[in-house]
Amino acid sequence: MSKEMSRSGLAGTGPEPYIYGSTGERFIPHRATEGTTMTASLELQMEHMGQRAKSAARTLAAASPAAKTLALRTLAELLRKRGPDMLKANALDVEAARAANMDAPRLDRLTLTPRIIEDMALACLHVADMPDEVGVIERQWQRPNGLMVGKMRIPLGVIAMIFESRPNVTIDAAILCLKAGDAVILRGGSEAIRSNLALAGLLHEALESAGLPADAVQVVETTDRAAVAALCKLDKYVDVMIPRGGESLVRAVCEAATMPVLKHYMGVCHLYVDEGADLGMALRLARNGKVQRPGVCNALECLLVHQSEAEAFLPKLGETLGGDGVTFRACPRALPLLRSDRAVPAQPGDFGQEFHDLILAVRVVDSLDEALDHIARYGSNHTEVICTNNHANATRFLREADASLTAVNASTRFNDGGQLGLGAEIGISTSKLHSYGAMGVRELTTTKFVALGTGQIRE
């Protein structure tokens, strides 16, 4: 982008602005009715973004920790200073989403508030204060011939991220990649285009104020879905693709991408109430996991209750969560115990379902073994929790429940980069390569071998 464009993120007005390449050529956002010429222009636009990101990544990988810290602190100041402008841009997105009858959970994820703006600023400061690990030699050992071998932490390179709804992800992803020394191309959902472009302007200003290339963070400025397909083919420039959104988005990106994909699949999160558990605690965990923000990936979707606690616990659950508007999809053993007109018989597809709503699947199980079997069958490797007073059961659950976070006596809502002390997250990987769980700065780097010799040759 030209310097002028990188500051504003816009040329012209409206949700589909003109976009200028590095040599001044103008791209018109593609529309399906405009045929193959526009498709070629879109592909060229994405390729130019990839080229600029690759170049920026080299500069960023060599940037000083002080420059990155300055950019992050400046961004925090800009967010606080220009928060009202960000809220105005977001209000236009929210208004359009309401007019399009967007459902309540997605509307919640789309909406920025002064509190969220402040949280973004605090995340910038938290990440700024974290140690800079780029270039650090983590381990070193000496071979019999005197050669010193080590492993140095380095950036991944260029990351492309495709995500939906949540404009705060634009900031979270950008600041983590910046700290890790990675350039990033961000393609948010069309529903958040105005919010994302406004935030991009702040990001570019912060980068330039620190002497860093604005192209280190690029936001795709067209809402055309063909941009996603074009990004997925840029393996010449993009090292890693991260899709963050609904299951259909993740699967589509995995099928189309020609580069490695860090997957963030469904959040089918379980809470198992063990025999002898503190039922007051279990009720608090269930309510927080399901009711606080039902549309997010770490919301509780299924409750498993040991049969010895079901008769005492489920009526309380039905009364309390039913009063919060929760509907229950209950197994035959759980249904009569809930004593709620909001409880209906569970259908086969209700277990393993990510509802994104005030709906909770409930099942009575006979043992920890049965709970673990259920999780192995229906879980999505996201978050699994046990409420228990039995140390042996807690230890076994932590070891055997296969998820990116397993927890004892804590809400599923804690599987979040900020809550886990990472400052922010670019997503939660539910696959085990290259990372498993919330991805912060460290997870956006990798290691390479380095060798220090004194003239050794191989015999």
Side-chain angles (χ1 to χ4, degrees), residues 286-299:
R287 190 179 188 211
N288 182 251
K290 181 73 269 183
V291 176
Q292 188 190 51
R293 292 195 72 188
V296 295
C297 63
N298 56 20

Side-chain angles (χ1 to χ4, degrees), residues 246-289:
E247 182 182 9
S248 60
L249 169 67
V250 177
R251 293 196 182 280
V253 170
C254 288
E255 291 172 3
T258 55
M259 68 286 289
V261 178
L262 285 172
K263 303 172 186 175
H264 181 139
Y265 272 135
M266 296 189 300
V268 183
C269 307
H270 295 83
L271 166 64
Y272 167 56
V273 181
D274 193 23
E275 182 177 15
D278 180 331
L279 298 187
M281 178 193 295
L283 188 61
R284 292 194 301 274
L285 298 181
R287 190 179 188 211
N288 182 251

